[in-house]
Amino acid sequence: MAEPKFKLCLLIDDNFIDNFVTRKILETSNFAEQIVVIQSAPEAIAQIQAKKIQPDVIFLDIRMPFMDGFEFLKEFDMLHLDDNKKIKIFMLSSSLDPVDFKLSNENKYITQFIHKPLTHKVLESIIL
């Protein structure tokens, strides 16, 4: 099996089942050395800001209570981290709203919009 592509992968999604499936896909693909799942965007911001976690890749859901994916990105931008532009962020969502897709494509931090569920095939295409 190949070496993991990333050190720390952060999965931000409030849905337990989606997290379970996505985590299994990431683990069986040897995607990252460590996979951290956080079920709320405010908690993820707090962990990143406190430097408790330093992800190099993030899978971010759009529709979440308290703070959605786009609000997370605004807060993330205000952290002014030295390496926040180096962090690859993939919007991982079941949203079919063209506005969500457009906003994702226009955001400087979003590498790619991916429709749920994450699959091995999609994961392979983003690793290459």
Side-chain angles (χ1 to χ4, degrees), residues 55-108:
D56 44 354
V57 64
I58 297 172
F59 286 94
L60 175 65
D61 188 24
I62 294 175
R63 305 272 183 258
M64 294 180 286
F66 309 114
M67 179 188 290
D68 71 23
F70 295 112
E71 293 167 328
F72 169 87
L73 291 167
K74 287 178 189 165
E75 293 290 321
F76 180 79
D77 187 50
M78 290 191 294
L79 293 178
H80 300 292
L81 303 172
D82 294 335
D83 57 353
N84 64 355
K85 287 200 174 59
K86 293 178 193 163
I87 299 172
K88 289 185 177 292
I89 302 178
F90 296 96
M91 194 64 88
L92 182 61
S93 178
S94 55
S95 173
L96 298 174
D97 186 339
V99 174
D100 288 341
F101 189 73
K102 182 177 183 285
L103 289 173
S104 293
N105 284 335
E106 292 172 351
N107 189 287
K108 65 184 176 182

Side-chain angles (χ1 to χ4, degrees), residues 27-39:
E27 286 173 350
T28 58
S29 299
N30 200 29
F31 185 75
E33 290 175 21
Q34 184 179 5
I35 299 164
V36 174
V37 178
I38 298 179
Q39 291 186 275

Side-chain angles (χ1 to χ4, degrees), residues 12 24 30 55:
I12 306 169
K24 284 295 175 202
N30 200 29

Side-chain angles (χ1 to χ4, degrees), residues 5 9 11-12 16 43-44 48 92 105 124:
K5 177 88 171 154
C9 175
L11 176 56
I12 306 169
F16 177 82
E43 176 63 20
I48 294 168
L92 182 61
N105 284 335
E124 285 172 20

Side-chain angles (χ1 to χ4, degrees), residues 5-6 29-31 122-128:
K5 177 88 171 154
F6 298 99
S29 299
N30 200 29
F31 185 75
V122 170
L123 200 54
E124 285 172 20
S125 73
I126 66 175
I127 292 175
L128 301 177

